[in-house]
Amino acid sequence: MRRSPWATLAVLALAQFIVVLDVTIVNVALPHIQADLKFSADSLQWVINAYTLLFGGFLLLGGRMADLLGPRRVFTAGLVLFGATSLIAGLSNSPEFLIGARAVQGLGGALLSPAALAILTMTFAHGRERNIAMGVWGGLAGLGGTLGVVAGGVLVDSLSWQWVFFVNVPIVIALVVLIPFFVPDLRHSVGRRTFDTLGAVLGTAGLMAVVYGVVRSEPAGWGSFEVIGVLTAGVLLLAAFVFVESRSAAPLVPLRLFRSRALSVSGASLALNGAGFLSMFFLTAIYLQQVRGDSALQAGVHFLPMGGAAIIGAVLASQLVQRLGTRTVQLGGAVLSLGGLLLLSQADATGSYASQLLPGLIVFGFGIIGVGVPGQINAVSEVRPAEAGAASGVVNAMYQVGGALGLAIVTTLSITHTTHQLTHGATQLQALQSGYERGLLAAAVFALANVLLTLATPQLQPTQAQLTEATVAA
């Protein structure tokens, strides 16, 4: 059957659209989820982190499975899993049930996302058509992140928080029906059919244990047997992960890639960027509704300028790196991210949105993409062409994992400060306001570290192909 490559792109881009949409659409529903399912303040972040950690932890395995089993097969399996767990998440009646559904949903995303990108690159030949396709892919993904906050607000206010998950189900059903007609079953020759499943499980389990230990430090205390035990287990699991990867014939993470200073430094920078972004998004979504009294829709609309700034910033960053070089643009992005977080931390419960929140959101939106585009270019600049895909997968996973770890640290510090304020006579509103400020200042520390780290990144003048791929990845 002859298939239009542009029809294939439409199916793939819509699938990626809902994966990105799911990251932002859930944030504005968090206060309602917390109230309905009786989440504690420290456990609420797992609605985000369970998804993020499984997505980042299994992203590389998903790409390997697509290579070995065929990308269409893995894409379909990931899409079905994503849709089924979206339905289960919407039907959840307890925190544990929802967190479990979100974790498996992240696994579905980790299967479908790299498989979809593999189909796209095999469908379009290298050159102008692929660049256009990648631009459409990246644009729709960015649009999903921007529209997610508004869509979430509309669904929560008009229906209920459950619909931020239910909305995925009819889209997934439609896509599964369309796949046999519009998505080709493309495969390429591979070597040994080896899956590094053990590596994926050890790495993800170790990261989840470390995050859980950080989260539990606030209610249980850093010196408690529980926290020390969980953190120790996490470190041991991560050590076992490194051991397995160093001896695997087909490692999930080829450790030799980290011999590249550019990849190591840029990967760490993107991880810090993820930490700042997820922390800001999580805290501000709750702050807007619980401190300023926004409805879910109002909160979503208030995030829109940040998304618009990020879209414009991606275009500007891709132009500026050709003129100024990657390090200059990345440094500017890190400085803007820091400035945006500091501006947001000064907001209070009574000031106007236009004067206290809007400037910080716009500056931060420009900043995060200003780090992302040149960071992606630098990360793969020193690796062989045959390993560029693996290197890109590693830094994307580092971004997700960095976001999850950063969110755990920032949220723990914010909750600890809020609790301290409550025990010293502050009102609930005052304590929440103070905790929000402390959390954003903690996130600003990540941005400051990124400013310093960026000074060690290489200065490159990228090609047009590198710009297209980096903009999509960012």
Side-chain angles (χ1 to χ4, degrees), residues 384-396:
R384 294 179 299 166
E387 293 183 327
S392 181
V394 167
V395 295
N396 284 331

Side-chain angles (χ1 to χ4, degrees), residues 101-472:
R102 286 286 287 166
V104 184
Q105 192 183 28
L107 177 59
L111 295 178
L112 78 87
S113 191
L117 191 55
I119 296 169
L120 187 151
T121 56
M122 294 168 72
T123 300
F124 293 89
H126 185 76
R128 180 176 178 273
E129 282 199 349
R130 183 183 291 179
N131 288 344
I132 294 173
M134 294 287 279
V136 171
W137 164 276
L140 282 177
L143 186 63
T146 303
L147 292 182
V149 289
V150 177
V154 170
L155 290 170
V156 171
D157 283 353
S158 60
L159 297 169
S160 67
W161 66 261
Q162 286 89 345
W163 280 92
V164 301
F165 301 111
F166 288 155
V167 70
N168 294 326
V169 178
I171 300 175
V172 168
I173 292 173
L175 287 173
V176 170
V177 171
L178 293 173
I179 285 172
F181 300 99
F182 296 107
V183 179
D185 190 10
L186 303 171
R187 303 191 188 200
H188 54 79
S189 177
V190 295
R192 293 178 57 195
R193 298 177 68 86
T194 303
F195 296 103
D196 187 14
T197 308
L198 178 60
V201 171
L202 287 172
T204 305
L207 290 167
M208 292 190 79
V210 170
V211 171
Y212 182 76
V214 172
V215 171
R216 291 296 299 164
S217 66
E218 195 280 324
W222 282 105
S224 67
F225 177 79
E226 177 189 4
V227 171
I228 292 174
V230 171
L231 289 176
T232 301
V235 171
L236 291 176
L237 285 166
L238 291 175
F241 166 75
V242 174
F243 179 82
V244 167
E245 295 303 285
S246 66
R247 285 159 176 76
S248 174
L252 189 68
V253 179
L255 298 180
R256 65 181 177 276
L257 292 176
F258 291 99
R259 295 172 189 165
S260 163
R261 181 176 68 89
L263 185 142
S264 299
V265 173
S266 296
S269 176
L270 291 170
L272 289 168
N273 207 35
F277 174 71
L278 268 192
S279 300
M280 187 286 302
F281 214 146
F282 180 90
L283 290 173
T284 305
I286 295 173
Y287 166 80
L288 286 170
Q289 295 177 69
Q290 293 187 346
V291 177
R292 296 183 66 90
D294 281 5
S295 67
L297 177 57
Q298 287 173 325
V301 170
H302 283 160
F303 274 117
L304 275 181
M306 183 185 72
I311 293 172
I312 296 170
V315 177
L316 292 175
S318 64
Q319 295 174 348
L320 288 174
V321 291
Q322 291 182 300
R323 300 177 184 177
L324 305 178
T326 53
R327 183 173 59 208
T328 304
V329 175
Q330 190 169 341
L331 180 61
V335 170
L336 287 174
S337 295
L338 174 60
L341 289 168
L342 291 175
L343 284 172
L344 288 169
S345 71
Q346 301 306 304
D348 58 42
T350 58
S352 72
Y353 164 80
S355 63
Q356 292 204 342
L357 287 166
L358 182 60
L361 289 170
I362 291 175
V363 170
F364 186 76
F366 279 114
I368 55 168
I369 205 71
V371 173
V373 171
Q376 289 283 345
I377 294 169
N378 279 333
V380 298
S381 63
E382 294 178 354
V383 301
R384 294 179 299 166
E387 293 183 327
S392 181
V394 167
V395 295
N396 284 331
M398 290 176 71
Y399 174 84
Q400 299 291 337
V401 168
L405 289 171
L407 177 59
I409 293 169
V410 167
T411 304
T412 299
L413 292 172
S414 176
I415 293 170
T416 301
H417 186 72
T418 300
T419 303
H420 175 77
Q421 292 294 305
L422 286 171
T423 59
H424 285 74
T427 65
Q428 180 77 14
L429 192 64
Q430 289 171 335
L432 287 171
Q433 165 69 40
S434 186
Y436 168 77
E437 179 183 345
R438 180 62 58 91
L440 285 184
L441 289 175
V445 173
F446 292 131
L448 177 60
N450 218 349
V451 171
L452 300 176
L453 188 62
T454 300
L455 297 174
T457 61
Q459 177 81 305
L460 301 175
Q461 302 288 339
T463 65
Q464 185 58 47
Q466 287 175 316
L467 283 173
T468 301
E469 293 174 5
T471 303
V472 170

Side-chain angles (χ1 to χ4, degrees), residues 1 9 11 30 34 79 92 96 147 277 280 359 389 406 417 438:
M1 179 190 299
L9 173 63
V11 173
L30 287 173
Q34 182 179 22
L79 193 59
S92 299
E96 296 78 13
L147 292 182
F277 174 71
M280 187 286 302
H417 186 72
R438 180 62 58 91

